[in-house]
Amino acid sequence: MAPRAATAIKTPQKAQRELEDLQLVLKARNGSSVAMDQLIRRYTSFVRLKASSYFLAGGDSEDLIQEGLVGLYKAVRDFRPEKETSFRSFAELCVTRQIITAIKTATRFKHAPLNTYVSFSHTPAGQDGDRSE
């Protein structure tokens, strides 16, 4: 396989961080909650930064952060080291897509009837003491 022409030169610190990320991802996939916690701590500020770029109608910033963390979890689950990309790049893509999907879902109004229903038990016809059948 020929080397890629547009590859950036990695600094030793960046290469070390990518190796650490890869090791943590593999451990987390094998059930290590400690490794998953380390990944979450490592990427939480990144997720917060991504979430701050978006707005969710009817929600708050914490909702978008939670969606971003779901995206991070999916990145851990789906990352493929053989694809020659860093975990950080893949995680950024997954986090961004998860946040955007949450925003699109919230603005579709698909569940508007469920969210704005009127309970039969709170209407005059549904009260127990007023049965005239």
Side-chain angles (χ1 to χ4, degrees), residues 104-126:
K104 284 181 179 180
T105 301
T107 58
R108 280 194 320 200
F109 301 113
K110 177 180 177 183
H111 300 292
L114 292 174
N115 295 334
T116 59
Y117 77 98
V118 176
S119 174
F120 287 136
S121 63
H122 292 96
T123 61

Side-chain angles (χ1 to χ4, degrees), residues 45-92:
S45 60
F46 172 74
V47 170
R48 285 184 183 278
L49 181 65
K50 276 291 184 186
S52 70
S53 303
Y54 297 95
F55 173 75
L56 179 63
D60 62 4
S61 62
E62 291 298 317
D63 293 331
L64 289 178
I65 292 168
Q66 288 296 320
E67 289 295 333
L69 291 172
V70 169
L72 179 62
Y73 171 79
K74 289 179 178 181
V76 170
R77 181 191 68 190
D78 299 335
F79 180 65
R80 301 287 178 254
E82 66 272 7
K83 297 290 184 183
E84 296 183 18
T85 187
S86 69
F87 175 73
R88 183 173 183 83
S89 296
F90 185 70
E92 180 178 3

Side-chain angles (χ1 to χ4, degrees), residues 7-78:
T7 55
I9 299 173
K10 291 183 186 176
T11 63
Q13 295 86 3
K14 187 174 180 181
Q16 179 64 30
R17 183 176 175 95
E18 285 183 18
L19 181 61
E20 289 170 4
D21 281 351
L22 178 59
Q23 290 170 342
L24 288 172
V25 166
L26 294 176
K27 287 178 184 178
R29 276 196 200 157
N30 287 326
S32 171
S33 60
V34 173
M36 191 64 190
D37 288 345
Q38 284 181 307
L39 282 167
I40 290 170
R41 277 196 304 275
R42 183 176 276 197
Y43 284 93
T44 296
S45 60
F46 172 74
V47 170
R48 285 184 183 278
L49 181 65
K50 276 291 184 186
S52 70
S53 303
Y54 297 95
F55 173 75
L56 179 63
D60 62 4
S61 62
E62 291 298 317
D63 293 331
L64 289 178
I65 292 168
Q66 288 296 320
E67 289 295 333
L69 291 172
V70 169
L72 179 62
Y73 171 79
K74 289 179 178 181
V76 170
R77 181 191 68 190
D78 299 335

